[in-house]
Amino acid sequence: MKNLASTMAGTVFTINIAAGEEVSAGQVVLVLESMKMEIPIEAETAGKVAAINVKEGDFVNEGDVLVTFE
């Protein structure tokens, strides 16, 4: 399994994927909001989403695991 971790602290603004979905490298999987800016978070590699570890409105810190891939 591979994890996608947050690169900064912020609030989960939108989630663009669902568990079980196949994603491609570079696809925007969710958007964080930090200091009134929207920051897209992209999948680093292609894979299948095993779990989404956050929900919209959650505050995350740098290094928190956002998505787990199979």
Side-chain angles (χ1 to χ4, degrees):
M1 287 195 177
K2 296 181 183 179
N3 295 323
L4 178 61
S6 178
T7 57
M8 63 177 23
T11 303
V12 179
F13 187 64
T14 59
I15 298 174
N16 303 332
I17 56 170
E21 183 176 336
E22 292 283 341
V23 297
S24 55
Q27 179 178 341
V28 175
V29 295
L30 57 87
V31 177
L32 293 180
E33 182 179 39
S34 181
M35 300 185 320
K36 299 185 181 182
M37 293 176 47
E38 293 179 10
I39 299 96
I41 305 298
E42 300 176 349
E44 297 170 356
T45 60
K48 185 175 182 179
V49 178
I52 301 170
N53 304 316
V54 295
K55 61 184 185 305
E56 291 180 4
D58 284 355
F59 182 82
V60 297
N61 289 301
E62 182 177 349
D64 287 353
V65 176
L66 306 172
V67 181
T68 303
F69 296 95
E70 291 181 4

